Amino acid sequence: MVKIYRHESLLGFFKGMSFPIASIAVVNSVLFGVYSNTLLVLTATSHQERRAQPPSYMHIFLAGCTGGFLQAYCLAPFDLIKVRLQNQTEPRAQPGSPPPRYQGPVHCAASIFREEGPRGLFRGAWALTLRDTPTVGIYFITYEGLCRQYTPEGQNPSSATVLVAGGFAGIASWVAATPLDVIKSRMQMDGLRRRVYQGMLDCMVSSIRQEGLGVFFRGVTINSARAFPVNAVTFLSYEYLLRWWG
Ligand SMILES: C[N+](C)(C)CCCC[C@H](N)C(=O)O
């Protein structure tokens, strides 16, 4: 934190923010929409009816995986741009210094398109899909499991339960997602200069060789600290929006 502050001032902490904010509504509606509709297909119960007839954990997991798989594709280009901008760590421009490689998210998207082709915008998308398919399953299982544990049968979970269950669901899924998150980000940065990795497996093997197994847990603490409040609020919004409008 101190280093980022000294080097890039307060703005450094908000690097690559505008795109995630623009994309989060789209990505989350795909995630929760696909999840809920897959459950509807699998169990023939709507969100309201699910309290009285709770779906099995297998169905929850499958619906979560489907949601995770599809949202990964919507997320991929936005996530790529975020990673590229976050990794650009030049100090704030001084007069006379050359401009940064990417001047902002739109410029970044256009440059990737020009330099790496349309498929370049989906660099790392496979790793992202592999990261999100099972871990979104874990996300919903943890959430449902904790809600059921602390809610009397047939009732809606209280706001406090939803917040805590959502927070822990975020942590559990991020802990599980971190190894592939590290690989995904490295694949997304590859291609910026010369290609370093031949593919995902090569990226895994050379990362382990150079940095040991600990590399798979890089950033897990800060990711979990972020995941708790973000997902507490996400699930609270989800539950309340469906209760009001469902
Ligand atoms: C599966 N994985 C852990 C990668 C993410 C789950 C979605 C969580 C939420 N959109 C967030 O940004 O925390």
Side-chain angles (χ1 to χ4, degrees):
M1 281 175 144
V2 172
K3 260 196 194 147
I4 292 176
Y5 183 76
R6 280 218 190 108
H7 207 57
E8 303 172 71
S9 87
L10 243 136
L11 283 175
F13 292 100
F14 293 89
K15 193 161 274 181
M17 260 312 283
S18 57
F19 246 51
I21 287 200
S23 65
I24 201 138
V26 180
V27 170
N28 271 338
S29 64
V30 171
L31 173 62
F32 284 88
V34 172
Y35 167 73
S36 194
N37 283 294
T38 311
L39 264 187
L40 183 67
V41 170
L42 290 174
T43 63
T45 48
S46 71
H47 183 76
Q48 313 305 342
E49 295 160 346
R50 272 176 221 143
R51 292 290 160 222
Q53 295 158 263
S56 72
Y57 284 113
M58 192 61 201
H59 283 153
I60 292 173
F61 183 71
L62 287 177
C65 292
T66 315
F69 181 82
L70 290 176
Q71 66 102 40
Y73 266 86
C74 307
L75 179 64
F78 295 111
D79 192 63
L80 174 71
I81 289 160
K82 182 199 74 177
V83 167
R84 291 277 174 101
L85 289 175
Q86 283 178 331
N87 278 290
Q88 187 170 266
T89 51
E90 288 93 359
R92 297 199 52 210
Q94 303 294 318
S97 63
R101 172 159 187 159
Y102 299 131
Q103 278 149 39
V106 178
H107 179 249
C108 177
S111 318
I112 296 174
F113 190 86
R114 203 170 349 97
E115 291 157 15
E116 300 165 55
R119 288 191 56 196
L121 284 170
F122 285 85
R123 197 178 292 283
W126 267 117
L128 187 68
T129 312
L130 274 182
R131 181 197 81 175
D132 281 5
T133 305
T135 54
V136 172
I138 294 175
Y139 182 62
F140 283 107
I141 284 213
T142 313
Y143 173 72
E144 269 303 318
L146 287 173
C147 276
R148 283 183 200 178
Q149 187 96 42
Y150 297 104
T151 310
E153 245 180 68
Q155 281 183 28
N156 281 324
S158 69
S159 306
T161 307
V162 169
L163 285 169
V164 173
F168 280 112
I171 293 185
S173 70
W174 271 110
V175 169
T178 300
L180 274 168
D181 188 58
V182 172
I183 300 303
K184 184 259 334 162
S185 303
R186 289 178 179 207
M187 302 287 296
Q188 287 172 321
M189 288 307 288
D190 207 24
L192 191 54
R193 286 174 204 95
R194 68 191 173 79
R195 298 290 296 275
V196 180
Y197 305 121
Q198 243 118 61
M200 221 156 65
L201 209 64
D202 182 42
C203 176
M204 275 184 195
V205 173
S206 57
S207 301
I208 297 175
R209 268 210 198 116
Q210 281 163 23
E211 294 155 78
L213 277 171
V215 73
F216 282 150
F217 287 94
R218 187 139 310 160
V220 71
T221 318
I222 193 93
N223 245 350
S224 305
R226 167 197 168 280
F228 193 93
V230 166
N231 293 290
V233 172
T234 304
F235 273 103
L236 193 70
S237 316
Y238 172 67
E239 291 289 348
Y240 276 85
L241 289 172
L242 281 179
R243 251 178 249 178
W244 287 333
W245 288 331

